[in-house]
Each structure stands twice: as structure tokens, then as C-alpha cells.
């Protein structure tokens, strides 16, 4: 597989005039993409972007999630659509992302970076070349999958070498008094002139082939990493002063970086001590590839702040902290405690041994624990080793004997919210800059959690409203068993416009109803309540199904012009199994026959409710044999971003065919369980099952 990925990455970069590219593949962890192949960029510089959660607002994640191309011609386009990406990589570059899919299989995303073209969008020829490259790669990966290869990636990315142009003019460069090094796009030294050997005290053969930051470790300081990211991401030269080595007095040099298609030319010369020399330069090292991975700490306040504005619930806030904060500082454990009635309660944890933190859940504010004292004192606590933590708090239970811990107070506008614990697998120091950044981030997290708690209170009220609007129980009938399920969407307030109902319509008939009001939130729920009442009222008067739908359509137009809803209404005679059905822009129901054969019905339909006052809704005649199951559902059950709705309908049809003869309640739970485990559902879900038992009325 590595050869397939390397060829695809190198060929597509060349085809569209790029200077770097790579391939993200699915990892074994659900919802996570992992960089599998990289070309044209030094891998360690871009470690924070190796792992990509598909729910995050980054172009690679959106391309995978939506199944659509993402083309960003310049920094302005990137900032407009993906501000979190630009918070970490604020450089002028263009990027292209193409999903790698074959049929229903989604393997990952093909990525290309190239020079920015401000104001000029990506042309159709390059779009087509990128799509063709992704299709070729998808075909090859599909063959590997068919042969038993899982086509997933969990390790570090591999690096694909691009053909390099030959080095020339060596003798001319050797005459310069300035040190000159040529670094390829992997970050390895290809050439050094004589002055570089003299300045650095290292002969050429010892330098060539080594990573620049390994050969010259004083350039690996975190303060310089943004400079190197900039030169590898854009076409603009970069100049900065750097402190060479640890000797005193400090020796400063000027470093100039000149990018090219095949690599970067580095020149180093003597310079005066800068007027402002950061104190963090006093201890060079600890940069690229360090266990703490502090490369992204400088921009995390911006990236995390942007991400937190999108988080609504406390769970989403905690997930953002896990995805954005832990990788930035090389953390492995995270715990968030929230304050309630002068006690700290565990709200989120990851990385700790199972059950270890339960003993601290609900501790009072008078208990001497670091997670408590950081909140009561308002001061962050940093322990560079577990020995230091144990010495400061004798007898405290420890989850590990080796590591480091940071305890951060979560305080929003002077109000205590809780505390946050960051854990590290190895001992480590916390520089003044890192302590400042972590303390600032704790304030942002606290504000987001405070906002989330207000939202959770409002959501609880919304859930009560939703419960009041939906049926508390369904009618019990001897010849037809009915079961319904409802799941609110998780994005926004947990209330929406999906509804179901079963109405005893008189004359022994049962009306089975399912509907979906456009939108989400209180307004959609209010409209849903009115429509449900309308349908029920029309059904109780004995109106024919088409009359029920026409009357409800007119009511919606009169109540709320511009609002619309879909609906499916089935009037069933339990004794004979005959039924009349009408449909207003709603997904087709499923019918499982007694022999297990399950089909998608083809009901004639009209437009959605609320659009056309003159709309008609033709009736389709059906018959449900004894032992049949009719399934009505809303589109939230079968729709997923980036996947054709027909795929979801077919998945539901197959699940219904395989579910019985289990009890109907278990069948409903099974059909809705997959959607229920999805962390972020943009839409509500309603499901109504009707099983014709054929028993006595």
C-alpha cells in the first residue's frame, strides 16, 4: 500500500503544479483520519496536522465528511472558510483536497499544496487532474481492500521522495564567505558550502543527508518553527535572528530561508545581538520532535478560541479541548471537573485508568487535593514529575509513577466553574510561555463551559416541551401493534420538528402518521405541535387521507408562510389489512412481508406541505398481510453527510429484513441504535413501526 500512496502523492503534486501533498486515510479509531503519506514537507514540522478528526472544521475533514472537493486558492479563501487552519498556518498558500472514494467505500483524502493565486480560483483542468488522481488511487485501494487489506493507517506518515533537480554551481557558492546549505523538501541537507563547514565546525559528509534540525539542534527551538513552516508553505523568503548554541555570551546569527520547488536554501551569517532577545532563548532545544510537541503552543489560544465558539454542549467543549489542547502540548490524559453546590463533579475524562477518577468525583471544596486547591486559590499548579506531585500532596492516589501533571483553575468572569487536569506520560518542564498559554486557555475553556451549562439548562426545558408535544403513549389495538422512537438532533437545542402519531380514526380504522417540519429548535417544534393537532383533528372527523393532507397543507400556509414540512399518512383497516396512503415530500415507507422480503414502497406523492395551496395528494392503495411490518421514518434516520440517501434507505431496508422475528420494541431499538450512537446528528429522527398481528380486535 505504501508504494500506491507514494506514487499517488508525487504524481498529483506534479500534475497540478504543487510543491507538497499527501494522503489522509481512515484510522482504526472511528471518526479519525491519519496522515499516511507526505511529500514536499518536513514531517515533524507539521505533526499537529497528522491526526484529523472528521468532525472538525478543517478542509481535509470536510472533504472526507461531505464527499466533495475543497479548493482554496489563497489565504483569504482559507481564512473565510477554515479560520482554524489559518490560525495554525497563517501563510500565503493554496490547497486542494479531494475525497478518495470508490462506490460506497470512503478511504480518505488526497491533498495538494501549491503557490497561492490571489483572486484566481482553481481552474477546471487542475480540478479534473486532481479528481482523476483521486479516482485512480481509490481504484487501487479498492483492489487492496478486496484482497483483504483493511486500508487503514494508524502510524506516523511515510515520506515520498520527489525527483530532485541536480545541484550545480558548487564551486561558485564555495567562494562565498556566507554559509550556504541546500535543504530538500523533506528537510534533509543536500549540500553545504565550505563557509558552512567552517562556521558550523562540521564537515560536509557529516551534514549531508541529515535532517537540518538534527544537524543544527539550535535551530530546532520552538520559537523558530513557525519560520520554517512559513518557508515550506509559501513562496516568500523568511529572515530571522537565531541564537547559536548555549555558550555565553550568546552568539547570534542571521538566518535567511529562500524557498523553491525542490527545497529551501538556507544562508547563515554573523549578526549583532538583537535589541530584544526573548528569555526563552536562554535554553535552546526542546523543539522539533520533543515529547511535549510544543510546536503549536504559540497559536493554540487562537485555534482553541475559534473551536470553542462552535461548541455548544459541555460534551462538545470537552471534546474540543481533547482534540485541540492535548496534541499541542503532548498530553495524554485530560479530566474536567465542574463545580456544583460546592462540590466538584467529574464531567469528562480521557486517558486515565478506568475507574481511577471515580474516587475524586463529588469532592467538597475543603478537601486538600490539587484539583480543588487550583480552583479555590485561582492559581494553576504544575508538577514536573509524579514525585513532585506526591511530595506536595502526601498520600494522594496516583494513576502512574512516571509523568507530569498540570492543574488549571476554570474561572469565568470571576466565577468558579471547575478545574482541568492535564496529564503527561513522561516528566517534563513547563516553560514560562507554556504556563502563560495554559492559564489563558483555561479561562477560555471556563467561559465555554459556563455558556454550555446555560445551554444545558435551556435544553432540559426544551426536552420537556418536546415530550409534551409527542404522544405519551400509542393506542393499544388487538390486531395491530405499534412502536415509535424519537431521537433529537445533537447540534443545537435538543428539540425539533419531527413527529409521529397513531390515531384511532373511528370505524375501527387506525391512522399512522409521521412528519418532519423544516428546521430545528423551538420554532420548528411549535409548528410541529400545530400540524400534529391538525392531522389528528382531520383524522378524527373521518376525512379521507387526501383530504387530511390538503387541509393540513392549507393550515400550514395560513399559519406560517415560508415554513414547510413533509408528511406521510396511512389509513389502515386492521381487520382486512387494506390501507390508503398519501405522501407529501416524505421518504418512502418500508414494508416487510411475512416471508421476510422487505421492499421500499412506491407511494404516489405531492409536494411538501406549506408550498402550494392548490397541491393535490393522490392516494395509493396498499394491503398489509398478517405478519407484515410497515416502517415510517424521517430522513434523519437514513441521511448522512457525504452519503447518498439511497444508501441509507437500503441499509435500513436490510436491517428491517434481518431484525424480525424479535419483539417489535427490540426491532425499533435495533433500527435506531446506529444513529443513536452518532456523536453529532444534525437532524432529528422519528421512527414508527406497525405490525399487523391479525389477532382479535
Amino acid at each position: 500500500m505504501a508504494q500506491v500512496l507514494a506514487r499517488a502523492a508525487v504524481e498529483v503534486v506534479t500534475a497540478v503544479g504543487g510543491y507538497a501533498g499527501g494522503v489522509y486515510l481512515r484510522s482504526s479509531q472511528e471518526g479519525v483520519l491519519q496522515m499516511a503519506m507526505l511529500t514536499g514537507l518536513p514531517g515533524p514540522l507539521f505533526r499537529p496536522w497528522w491526526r484529523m478528526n472528521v468532525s472538525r472544521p478543517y478542509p481535509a475533514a470536510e472533504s472526507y465528511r461531505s464527499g466533495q472537493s475543497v479548493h482554496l486558492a489563497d489565504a483569504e479563501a482559507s481564512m473565510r472558510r477554515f479560520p482554524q487552519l489559518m490560525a495554525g498556518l497563517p501563510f500565503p498558500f493554496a490547497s486542494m483536497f479531494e475525497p478518495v472514494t470508490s462506490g460506497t467505500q470512503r478511504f480518505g483524502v488526497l491533498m495538494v499544496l501549491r503557490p497561492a493565486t490571489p483572486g484566481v480560483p482553481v481552474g477546471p483542468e487542475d480540478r479534473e487532474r486532481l479528481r482523476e488522481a483521486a479516482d485512480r488511487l481509490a481504484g487501487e485501494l479498492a483492489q487492496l481492500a478486496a484482497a483483504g487489506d483493511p486500508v487503514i493507517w494508524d502510524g506516523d506518515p511515510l515520506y515520498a521522495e520527489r525527483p530532485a533537480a541536480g545541484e550545480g554551481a558548487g564551486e561558485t557558492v564555495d567562494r562565498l564567505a556566507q554559509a550556504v546549505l541546500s535543504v530538500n523538501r523533506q528537510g534533509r541537507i543536500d549540500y553545504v558550502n565550505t563557509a558552512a563547514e567552517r562556521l558550523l565546525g562540521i564537515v560536509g559528509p557529516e551534514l549531508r543527508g541529515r535532517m537540518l534540525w538534527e544537524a543544527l539542534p539550535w535551530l530546532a527551538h520552538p520559537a523558530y518553527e513557525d519560520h520554517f513552516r512559513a518557508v515550506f508553505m509559501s513562496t516568500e523568503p523568511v529572515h530571522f535572528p537565531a541564537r547559536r548554541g548555549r555558550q555565553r555570551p550568546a552568539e547570534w546569527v542571521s538566518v535567511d530561508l529562500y524557498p523553491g520547488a525542490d527545497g529551501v536554501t538556507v544562508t547563515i551569517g554573523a549578526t549583532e545581538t538583537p535589541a530584544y532577545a526573548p528569555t526563552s532563548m536562554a535554553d535552546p532545544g526542546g523543539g522539533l520532535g520533543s515529547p511535549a510537541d510544543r510546536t503549536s503552543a504559540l497559536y493554540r489560544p487562537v485555534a482553541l478560541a475559534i473551536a470553542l465558539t462552535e461548541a455548544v454542549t459541555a460534551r462538545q467543549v470537552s471534546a474540543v479541548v481533547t482534540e485541540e489542547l492535548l496534541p499541542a502540548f503532548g498530553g495524554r490524559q485530560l479530566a474536567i471537573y465542574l463545580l456544583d453546590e460546592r462540590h466538584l463533579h467529574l464531567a469528562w475524562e480521557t486517558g486515565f485508568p478506568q475507574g481511577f477518577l471515580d474516587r475524586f468525583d463529588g469532592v467538597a471544596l475543603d478537601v486538600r487535593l490539587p484539583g480543588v486547591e487550583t480552583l479555590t486559590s485561582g492559581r494553576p499548579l504544575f508538577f514536573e514529575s509524579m514525585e513532585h506531585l506526591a511530595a506536595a500532596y502526601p498520600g494522594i492516589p496516583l494513576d502512574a509513577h512516571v509523568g507530569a501533571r498540570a492543574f488549571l483553575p476554570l474561572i469565568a468572569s470571576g466565577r468558579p466553574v471547575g478545574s482541568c487536569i492535564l496529564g503527561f506520560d513522561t516528566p517534563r518542564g513547563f516553560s514560562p510561555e507554556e504556563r502563560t498559554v495554559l492559564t489563558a486557555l483555561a479561562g477560555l475553556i471556563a467561559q465555554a463551559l459556563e455558556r454550555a451549562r446555560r445551554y444545558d439548562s435551556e435544553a432540559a426545558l426544551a426536552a420537556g416541551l418536546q415530550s409534551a408535544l409527542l404522544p405519551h403513549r400509542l393506542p393499544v389495538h388487538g390486531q395491530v401493534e405499534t412502536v415509535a422512537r424519537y431521537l433529537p438532533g445533537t447540534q443545537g437545542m435538543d428539540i425539533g420538528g419531527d413527529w409521529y402519531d397513531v390515531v384511532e380514526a373511528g370505524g375501527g380504522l387506525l391512522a399512522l402518521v409521521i412528519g418532519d417540519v423544516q428546521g430545528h429548535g423551538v420554532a420548528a417544534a411549535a409548528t410541529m405541535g400545530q400540524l400534529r393537532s391538525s392531522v389528528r383533528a382531520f383524522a378524527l372527523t373521518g376525512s379521507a387521507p387526501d383530504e387530511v393532507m390538503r387541509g393540513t397543507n392549507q393550515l400550514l400556509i395560513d399559519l406560517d408562510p415560508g415554513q414547510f414540512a413533509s408528511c406521510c399518512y396511512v389509513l389502515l383497516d386492521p381487520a382486512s389489512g387494506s390501507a390508503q396512503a398519501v405522501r407529501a415530500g416524505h421518504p418512502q415507507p418500508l414494508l416487510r412481508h411475512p416471508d421476510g422480503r422487505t421492499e421500499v414502497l412506491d407511494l404516489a406523492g405531492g409536494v411538501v406541505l406549506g408550498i402550494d395551496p392548490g397541491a393535490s395528494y393522490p392516494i395509493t392503495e396498499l394491503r398489509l398481510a398478517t405478519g407484515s411490518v410497515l416502517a415510517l421514518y424521517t430522513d434523519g434516520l437514513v441521511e448522512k453527510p457525504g452519503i447518498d440517501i439511497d444508501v441509507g434507505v437500503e441499509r435500513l431496508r436490510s436491517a428491517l429484513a434481518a431484525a424480525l422475528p424479535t419483539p417489535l420494541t427490540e426491532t425499533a431499538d435495533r433500527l435506531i441504535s446506529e444513529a443513536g450512537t452518532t456523536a453529532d446528528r444534525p437532524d432529528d429522527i422519528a421512527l414508527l413501526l406497525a405490525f399487523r398481528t391479525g389477532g382479535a380486535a
Side-chain angles (χ1 to χ4, degrees):
M1 183 166 65
Q3 291 180 341
V4 170
L5 299 176
R7 178 201 53 76
V10 171
E11 288 184 357
V12 73
V13 168
T14 303
V16 301
Y19 52 72
V23 181
Y24 281 100
L25 290 182
R26 293 179 299 114
S27 72
S28 59
Q29 183 178 351
E30 184 177 357
V32 173
L33 298 177
Q34 195 79 19
M35 177 68 76
M37 185 61 61
L38 187 63
T39 184
L41 292 177
L45 271 178
F46 297 88
R47 186 181 298 272
W49 295 272
W50 286 2
R51 184 178 181 274
M52 187 70 62
N53 191 295
V54 299
S55 66
R56 305 304 302 138
Y58 289 92
E62 178 169 309
S63 181
Y64 179 85
R65 190 172 61 243
S66 68
Q68 303 295 319
S69 307
V70 175
H71 301 136
L72 304 169
D74 54 28
E76 182 179 350
S78 300
M79 178 60 78
R80 186 169 58 251
R81 293 185 58 185
F82 302 100
Q84 281 182 251
L85 173 71
M86 299 309 292
L89 298 170
F91 316 119
F93 67 96
S95 56
M96 303 167 66
F97 301 83
E98 188 73 24
V100 180
T101 62
S102 178
T104 60
Q105 299 181 88
R106 291 191 295 172
F107 297 110
V109 176
L110 187 60
M111 172 191 75
V112 176
L113 306 181
R114 64 183 200 172
T117 55
V120 180
V122 177
E125 298 85 359
D126 286 340
R127 292 170 183 257
E128 182 63 19
R129 292 186 186 109
L130 180 63
R131 188 191 62 77
E132 290 175 351
D135 288 346
R136 282 196 302 273
L137 176 58
E140 293 175 300
L141 295 180
Q143 291 179 1
L144 292 174
D149 191 320
V151 191
I152 60 174
W153 198 272
D154 286 313
D156 292 348
L158 300 179
Y159 193 88
E161 292 281 3
R162 295 178 59 199
E167 292 292 339
E171 293 182 1
T172 302
V173 177
D174 272 341
R175 299 189 191 108
L176 297 177
Q178 193 175 35
V180 179
L181 302 89
S182 178
V183 178
N184 66 22
R185 295 203 68 87
Q186 188 181 356
R188 296 191 180 278
I189 299 171
D190 286 336
Y191 170 82
V192 294
N193 71 346
T194 303
E197 294 180 347
R198 288 196 303 268
L199 174 68
L200 305 175
I202 307 174
V203 297
E206 295 181 16
L207 290 171
R208 283 190 285 272
R210 296 177 63 185
M211 292 291 286
L212 175 66
W213 304 278
E214 295 174 358
L216 308 178
W218 46 273
L219 278 180
H221 196 282
Y224 307 143
E225 291 170 19
D226 257 359
H227 298 309
F228 284 104
R229 273 194 285 268
V231 79
F232 277 99
M233 292 293 290
S234 74
T235 57
E236 298 296 322
V238 174
H239 314 280
F240 63 93
R243 178 174 175 174
R244 180 180 169 224
R246 300 172 179 267
Q247 63 270 27
R248 295 182 183 278
E251 179 187 353
W252 288 83
V253 295
S254 63
V255 180
D256 303 293
L257 308 176
Y258 300 93
D262 298 320
V264 174
T265 297
V266 182
T267 67
I268 303 173
T271 190
E272 296 179 357
T273 300
Y276 170 70
T279 56
S280 60
M281 298 296 100
D283 184 21
L288 276 169
S290 66
D293 194 19
R294 293 185 280 268
T295 62
S296 55
L298 297 176
Y299 69 82
R300 282 298 170 183
V302 178
L304 184 61
I306 296 171
L308 287 175
T309 62
E310 302 167 352
V312 177
T313 66
R315 179 192 62 80
Q316 291 171 340
V317 171
S318 302
V320 165
V321 175
T322 302
E323 295 163 8
E324 297 286 348
L325 187 60
L326 281 185
F329 293 88
R332 294 294 181 268
Q333 297 88 26
L334 171 72
I336 293 178
Y337 286 84
L338 295 180
L339 181 64
D340 184 36
E341 299 292 335
R342 295 190 59 78
H343 289 75
L344 286 173
H345 298 276
L346 183 62
W348 178 275
E349 66 168 303
T350 183
F352 287 94
Q354 185 174 4
F356 173 78
L357 294 179
D358 292 347
R359 70 195 74 191
F360 304 110
D361 193 12
V363 297
L365 294 186
D366 58 357
V367 177
R368 189 173 184 271
L369 289 170
V372 173
E373 293 191 353
T374 189
L375 180 62
T376 55
S377 68
R379 294 183 297 102
L381 303 175
F382 298 95
F383 300 96
E384 300 184 349
S385 69
M386 301 303 283
E387 289 82 359
H388 290 171
L389 175 58
Y393 293 87
I396 185 175
L398 301 177
D399 64 292
H401 297 294
V402 177
R405 295 291 183 267
F407 296 84
L408 308 175
L410 301 180
I411 300 174
S413 302
R415 295 188 302 274
V417 175
S419 58
C420 175
I421 305 172
L422 294 178
F424 306 86
D425 286 345
T426 59
R428 57 156 293 167
F430 296 92
S431 69
E433 293 90 346
E434 287 177 316
R435 294 177 185 234
T436 300
V437 169
L438 285 170
T439 303
L441 293 180
L444 295 177
I445 296 167
Q447 292 176 17
L449 286 169
E450 183 76 356
R451 185 177 66 247
R453 291 212 291 194
R454 289 196 300 270
Y455 167 85
D456 289 339
S457 298
E458 295 169 357
L461 295 175
L465 173 60
Q466 185 83 59
S467 176
L469 292 173
L470 291 172
H472 289 176
R473 65 180 182 85
L474 299 179
V476 178
H477 195 284
Q479 294 174 304
V480 176
E481 180 184 354
T482 56
V483 171
R485 294 289 184 267
Y486 174 83
L487 283 178
T490 61
Q491 297 179 5
M493 190 174 291
D494 286 356
I495 184 170
D498 290 18
W499 91 93
Y500 58 84
D501 208 349
V502 178
V503 184
E504 294 180 299
L509 302 180
L510 281 181
L512 310 172
V513 191
I514 197 150
D516 183 358
V517 176
Q518 174 211 22
H520 198 65
V522 174
T527 301
M528 175 268 282
Q530 293 171 313
L531 292 188
R532 179 183 166 230
S533 298
S534 170
V535 171
R536 173 173 281 270
F538 282 120
L540 290 173
T541 64
S543 301
D546 57 336
E547 295 172 345
V548 172
M549 205 62 74
R550 286 199 302 269
T552 305
N553 176 51
Q554 188 60 55
L555 175 69
L556 181 56
I557 292 174
D558 293 342
L559 283 174
D560 190 357
Q563 181 71 280
F564 60 87
S566 67
C567 185
C568 186
Y569 181 95
V570 179
L571 189 61
L572 173 66
D573 181 353
S576 66
S578 63
Q580 294 182 318
V582 293
R583 189 172 62 89
H586 202 81
Q588 295 280 9
L590 302 178
L591 179 60
R592 188 186 190 277
H593 298 277
D595 60 2
R597 180 173 56 90
T598 305
E599 63 176 317
V600 181
L601 295 178
D602 185 17
L603 305 184
V607 299
V608 293
L609 305 174
I611 299 297
D612 180 7
S616 61
Y617 299 94
I619 294 176
T620 301
E621 301 284 347
L622 302 173
R623 185 178 183 279
L624 275 64
T626 300
S628 298
V629 176
L630 181 68
L632 307 178
Y633 55 91
T634 56
D635 56 11
L637 186 58
V638 292
E639 270 192 327
K640 286 187 177 181
I643 300 178
D644 193 291
I645 190 173
D646 291 339
V647 175
V649 172
E650 175 57 27
R651 184 186 298 116
L652 181 62
R653 187 201 65 78
S654 299
L656 179 61
L660 295 173
T662 55
L664 199 63
T665 53
E666 293 184 17
T667 298
D669 290 337
R670 183 179 301 180
L671 296 182
I672 211 166
S673 62
E674 180 181 351
T677 58
T678 302
D680 291 300
R681 294 188 307 278
D683 203 359
D684 313 304
I685 296 172
L687 172 69
L688 175 62
L689 300 180
F691 175 40
R692 184 166 178 254
T693 63

